[in-house]
Amino acid sequence: MAAHELPDLFRFYDGTRVRERVDWRRRRAEIANAIVPLAYGEIPPAAPADPPFEFKRLPADHLGGAEARKYLISIAASPRVVFALRVLVPNGNGPFPAIVSGDACWPLNDKVRREVLGRGVILARFNRDYIARDSGEPGEPRGVRAAFPGDYGALAAWAWGYHRAVDFLLTLPEVNPAQIAITGHSRGGKAALLAGATDERIALVHANQSGCGGAGCFRWQGEKSETLADILRQFPHWFAPGLKDFVGSEETLPFDQHSLKALVAPRPLLTTEALGDWWANPEGTWQSHRAAREVYEFLGAEEKIAIRFRHGPHDHALADWMALLDFMDVHFNGKAPGNAAGENPFRGLPPAHRWTAPG
């Protein structure tokens, strides 16, 4: 247990402990200052954008009368960072909640689009590869890496892309500024979780099967799950260079992924997992969820953290989108919640932490 135990989220690094809720802001800042630079690298700075160029607006008749728009976002940097944001606006009178996804590099079927629009939700998608290439950046850097050089990984760059998409959505009168959610799958889920942890304008965060470096655990590895050594061997460019120093000694990390989840609190946080996706460590994700829930309970927001498991493989399935939309209905529209904690599929598994919230 000692090797696997997750660090106490309520213990300051000087050894003292959080006592009251007012102490959490200071502890939260301390956690963020530990995990973000070491695991991901500092997120590039915010930068203003030119007025967006809207170069397509068409009725999407096959999607129930929704309107399909395409905007070109140009960030005022040197060189400029330019990416497209595809926005689907539902039929009706806004303002509407919105979902932002950086996974436009992958196809999305119309069943998902119809479900999102049918709930009266805007769907905005960008291709994270235009923010930073997912290839280790051979040759000349481009995108945000060219504009803001630094020792940060692709996940930090993609999180920056989410932040810039939120900047733009806040300018649209059709968007409810208090109801912006973000989502991502796999590596996109890692980026979404990081983006949500580092930008409190984001009202609700969803990470789907994000695994190692996302909602999973470095310390607690389920059977056949991806380890820190595995992910850094194949995708070192996703992370900050200093993270490799902890391969084989993960128990010495001053954080684990429950720490990243805790940075979202008390805002709503949903993780969705597939029990057949062993590589994404559903068991470790359950452990990080249990530990992060201590913070939500401490802040009086225990109903705002949820986890959902389904059978099946690694995929951003329709069921995962439905879980997100249901979760949004609870927290944006006041619908009755289900089991806020989610069902435990790992009966008999002890928690990976022995500490509890103060009081």
Side-chain angles (χ1 to χ4, degrees):
M1 180 64 183
H4 298 298
E5 184 162 12
L6 302 182
D8 186 347
L9 291 172
F10 299 100
R11 188 169 299 282
F12 289 98
Y13 293 130
D14 66 4
T16 60
R17 209 158 188 265
V18 169
R19 293 180 179 273
E20 300 176 356
R21 287 181 182 174
V22 293
D23 298 330
W24 175 248
R25 292 299 300 179
R26 185 162 57 93
R27 175 59 177 147
R28 182 189 183 278
E30 188 179 61
I31 292 171
N33 289 335
I35 191 170
V36 174
L38 180 53
Y40 306 102
E42 295 288 358
I43 294 176
D50 292 339
F53 175 63
E54 180 183 327
F55 59 94
K56 185 181 289 185
R57 183 185 291 225
L58 297 171
D61 294 331
H62 64 298
L63 296 175
E67 188 174 70
R69 305 178 188 175
K70 190 173 180 181
Y71 296 96
L72 194 67
I73 311 298
S74 179
I75 305 299
S78 182
R80 290 185 174 276
V81 184
V82 180
F83 65 97
L85 188 67
R86 298 173 182 270
V87 179
L88 286 173
V89 181
N91 193 19
N93 297 318
F96 303 102
I99 298 174
V100 184
S101 167
D103 292 345
C105 45
W106 295 328
L108 185 69
N109 67 53
D110 279 348
K111 287 184 179 178
V112 171
R113 293 184 176 92
R114 289 192 188 99
E115 288 292 345
V116 173
L117 294 167
R119 300 284 187 105
V121 175
I122 288 171
L123 180 60
R125 302 176 77 227
F126 67 94
N127 183 341
R128 61 178 177 270
D129 284 348
Y130 284 92
I131 305 297
R133 270 191 302 222
D134 189 11
S135 60
E137 299 291 348
E140 287 296 316
R142 72 176 189 187
V144 68
R145 290 189 181 280
F148 303 106
D151 281 337
Y152 55 87
L155 292 172
W158 297 335
W160 180 90
Y162 274 96
H163 297 167
R164 304 290 73 77
V166 170
D167 289 345
F168 169 68
L169 288 180
L170 289 172
T171 70
L172 290 182
E174 296 90 346
V175 173
N176 185 330
Q179 294 185 342
I180 295 177
I182 63 173
T183 187
H185 168 65
S186 194
R187 66 198 67 182
K190 302 181 208 297
L193 184 54
L194 176 59
T198 53
D199 190 338
E200 294 182 272
R201 300 174 303 169
I202 295 167
L204 185 149
V205 180
H206 173 229
N208 185 67
Q209 297 168 50
S210 55
C212 187
C217 255
F218 293 125
R219 285 169 173 81
W220 193 285
Q221 296 292 151
E223 185 180 1
K224 300 181 182 178
S225 62
E226 186 177 29
T227 65
L228 181 59
D230 291 328
I231 201 167
L232 291 181
R233 187 180 306 115
Q234 191 169 7
F235 303 109
H237 59 283
W238 288 355
F239 300 93
L243 190 59
K244 67 180 182 299
D245 297 338
F246 293 88
V247 171
S249 57
E250 288 85 350
E251 72 281 359
T252 65
L253 277 166
F255 53 79
D256 211 305
Q257 294 310 99
H258 67 312
S259 309
L260 191 65
K261 290 181 175 181
L263 298 181
V264 179
R267 291 168 292 140
L269 170 63
L270 172 68
T271 50
T272 46
E273 305 297 323
L275 293 173
D277 185 14
W278 291 7
W279 192 243
N281 196 8
E283 183 178 304
T285 302
W286 172 249
Q287 295 286 33
S288 70
H289 168 80
R290 282 168 133 175
R293 193 169 64 202
E294 296 278 356
V295 171
Y296 277 83
E297 290 175 352
F298 176 66
L299 298 176
E302 56 268 28
E303 79 287 354
K304 292 185 178 180
I305 182 169
I307 188 167
R308 297 288 179 263
F309 292 93
R310 61 167 172 80
H311 294 284
H314 188 69
D315 182 29
H316 202 168
L318 178 61
D320 305 316
W321 284 94
M322 296 294 287
L324 169 59
L325 292 169
D326 290 345
F327 193 63
M328 291 174 65
D329 270 345
V330 170
H331 297 289
F332 289 169
N333 299 324
K335 293 197 175 179
N339 180 1
E343 293 296 328
N344 177 8
F346 304 105
R347 300 296 181 185
L349 182 72
H353 66 287
R354 290 173 288 192
W355 45 268
T356 58

